[in-house]
Amino acid sequence: MSGAVDLSALKERATAPPPRKPSGDGAVSALPGTVIDVNEVNFESEVLVKSSQVPVIVNLGGRAYEPSVVFTEVLERFAAEAGGQWILANVDVDVSPQIAQAFGIKSVPTVVAVAAGQPLADFEGAQPEEQLSQWFAAVLQATAGKLSGPVPAAGDADEPEVEDPRFVAAETALDAGDLDGAIAAYQVILDDEPTNAEALNAVRQVKFMARVENTDPDSVAAADADPSNLELQFAAADREMYAQKPETAFARLIGVVARTAGDDKAAARTRLLELFELFDPAEPMVMAARRKLAAALY
């Protein structure tokens, strides 16, 4: 698998849920932030970004799979003993199927080491602890001197970062799958601070996720069969975006803008602009789509 997986498509997510709490059963406690639940929303910040500091061990499994649950406990113990030399990112493949698809996994659990934003090594199925120790040692040896360094231990920073309780409330709702609750919590922040970039970006992402949940998985085929149906075109574009095909979604809506007029044209333009806002404005594909939109409008 190493080197064959393109993780860039998962970079459009932004907001991270709170880290998994270590167990209180007397086991070694992991440093804060070194064992974390990861989903499609926080994949970029918790895996791609942090893998420039230390290896991120992505554990693809799920609570519905008993062998995976048991093996996750073993991995979390190893993470605690590692003391911040690497981060364990637990992914529930039923909750975040796009991450599983990006890695091309065939069974659970599957474990992938990511360094500098790229897959480095992987294995399938639970492994004996002796082999795990050797595997982790090999990952650390392969990345030695190539990354920026371990995550700071608690108390190392001059000023401890204080979490904004408003964001904690939003992220807690998001982690629980309560998209409406997360949107409401982010909106509270925006009501107080209309220009808060983090909250603005987060609410756009979560609103998109909530909208996609209400679309038919067969929307693309239905829209292709009925090009004049505006709502079907909107739903299909959302499904294409969710499937990590943003350029296809942009092209679909630009086509709607080009062949419609009046209110339909304005509505298609508005929806397209909403999709643009899910990305950095300087993203080349967004800039190219904006040029095509301008041509379709005039």
Side-chain angles (χ1 to χ4, degrees):
M1 183 184 297
S2 303
V5 181
D6 180 10
L7 303 181
S8 62
L10 291 165
K11 288 186 177 182
E12 63 198 55
R13 314 299 189 195
T15 308
R20 176 191 294 267
K21 302 294 190 296
S23 64
D25 57 3
V28 178
S29 296
L31 293 175
T34 57
V35 176
I36 191 165
D37 290 329
V38 169
N39 54 37
E40 290 158 2
V41 176
N42 68 340
F43 183 88
E44 178 183 6
S45 61
E46 298 300 338
V47 176
L48 299 184
V49 173
K50 288 186 178 178
S51 70
S52 66
Q53 297 176 283
V54 293
V56 176
I57 308 302
V58 182
N59 171 33
L60 296 130
R63 297 178 180 87
Y65 311 98
E66 183 61 27
S68 173
V69 173
V70 174
F71 189 55
T72 294
E73 294 174 357
V74 174
L75 293 176
E76 290 183 350
R77 176 159 51 80
F78 271 88
E81 294 170 354
Q85 294 181 85
W86 50 267
I87 293 171
L88 178 63
N90 292 317
V91 177
D92 189 321
V93 297
D94 290 330
V95 175
S96 302
Q98 285 186 298
I99 297 179
Q101 181 181 7
F103 282 107
I105 71 166
K106 298 177 181 178
S107 63
V108 295
T110 290
V111 175
V112 184
V114 177
Q118 297 296 323
L120 175 67
D122 62 88
F123 62 81
E124 295 180 358
Q127 303 294 316
E129 294 193 16
E130 182 178 352
Q131 291 185 23
L132 280 177
S133 295
Q134 295 173 358
W135 189 81
F136 288 129
V139 168
L140 291 175
Q141 182 177 4
T143 57
K146 299 177 182 178
L147 304 176
S148 62
V151 294
D156 284 356
D158 293 335
E159 292 292 335
E161 183 178 351
V162 178
E163 290 188 278
D164 187 327
R166 302 172 304 170
F167 280 97
V168 171
E171 292 161 2
T172 299
L174 188 60
D175 196 31
D178 180 7
L179 299 185
D180 290 340
I183 291 170
Y186 284 123
Q187 191 58 53
V188 168
I189 301 172
L190 291 173
D191 289 343
D192 291 337
E193 304 174 38
T195 60
N196 188 304
E198 183 178 355
L200 187 60
N201 182 55
V203 80
R204 287 169 177 164
Q205 299 281 353
V206 181
K207 282 183 176 179
F208 170 74
M209 292 170 63
R211 194 170 72 210
V212 169
E213 281 194 346
N214 293 319
T215 61
D216 188 327
D218 296 326
S219 294
V220 173
D224 290 344
D226 187 1
S228 64
N229 188 314
L230 196 65
E231 291 306 316
L232 281 179
Q233 299 305 315
F234 289 173
D238 282 349
R239 296 301 303 188
E240 289 165 337
M241 184 67 69
Y242 188 69
Q244 307 294 346
K245 299 176 181 178
E247 291 167 303
T248 303
F250 294 162
R252 177 180 295 277
L253 293 182
I254 290 168
V256 175
V257 170
R259 65 177 179 266
T260 56
D263 292 343
D264 285 355
K265 190 183 204 73
R269 174 183 177 276
T270 298
R271 177 57 64 91
L272 182 57
L273 294 178
E274 288 175 1
L275 295 187
F276 287 163
E277 289 176 343
L278 299 175
F279 298 87
D280 185 326
E283 188 79 31
M285 65 179 176
V286 174
M287 297 174 67
R290 284 188 179 277
R291 290 192 293 269
K292 293 176 182 176
L293 172 61
L297 287 169
Y298 306 107

